[in-house]
Amino acid sequence: MLTVFQVQVQTPAKAQTPAATTTELVMAKGFWANVAAVGLGLLMVAACRQVKPEVDSCLKDVDANALPQALERCNRVVAAHLNDPRPLNDRFLLHTLLQNKAAACADISKAAAMVKTKGDLKDEIEVRLDSCRIP
């Protein structure tokens, strides 16, 4: 909230300058330029703010030659959807392709704990969880 008070500032008669309001004095010192700069800065921050990634975007456009980059993207998806087992299920696959069985099994174990209802996702997670039990 911006509150501006207007107060008459009188100068001595011999100076022959007209009276100015506080608003005019503040504006003369670049107040509105500062307000504009702050507003522009806030606009830029809002524009640069990352949009929450889609829950199913872990495996979109995965390039077999760029699996580490796909994993980084998937890490952001998992972080954005902490209570959803689907990104963990997808990241399991990326960890498996990168031959990191421990991380893959940790993800699928978390996903299995989140899924309560029977269905395709639960079945898929169960199969992947079974693969973690094989030495």
Side-chain angles (χ1 to χ4, degrees):
M1 175 196 264
L2 176 65
T3 305
V4 177
F5 297 96
Q6 290 191 349
V7 177
Q8 292 289 335
V9 177
Q10 297 292 332
T11 57
K14 63 181 177 180
Q16 299 296 326
T17 54
T21 64
T22 306
T23 304
E24 292 168 336
L25 292 173
V26 170
M27 286 174 52
K29 293 186 182 252
F31 175 76
W32 289 112
N34 289 340
V35 168
V38 169
L40 182 60
L42 290 173
L43 264 172
M44 290 173 60
V45 167
C48 292
R49 183 175 54 111
Q50 260 189 340
V51 176
K52 187 175 181 178
E54 296 291 323
V55 72
D56 62 348
S57 63
C58 273
L59 300 178
K60 274 190 180 170
D61 303 321
V62 173
D63 181 358
N65 296 318
L67 290 176
Q69 291 84 354
L71 181 60
E72 287 176 19
R73 182 178 64 235
C74 194
N75 288 340
R76 289 190 297 273
V77 175
V78 169
H81 301 278
L82 294 174
N83 297 320
D84 195 321
R86 292 174 292 175
L88 291 167
N89 185 40
D90 292 343
R91 191 166 69 176
F92 166 89
L93 181 60
L94 293 172
H95 280 305
T96 300
L97 292 171
L98 289 165
Q99 299 179 358
N100 188 348
K101 186 175 181 175
C105 291
D107 278 350
I108 209 64
S109 294
K110 287 180 199 172
M114 290 180 192
V115 176
K116 303 295 182 208
T117 60
K118 277 288 194 190
D120 291 342
L121 181 62
K122 184 164 181 71
D123 294 341
E124 185 176 329
I125 289 173
E126 290 293 328
V127 168
R128 291 181 174 182
L129 192 57
D130 285 343
S131 74
C132 289
R133 295 181 184 122
I134 300 170

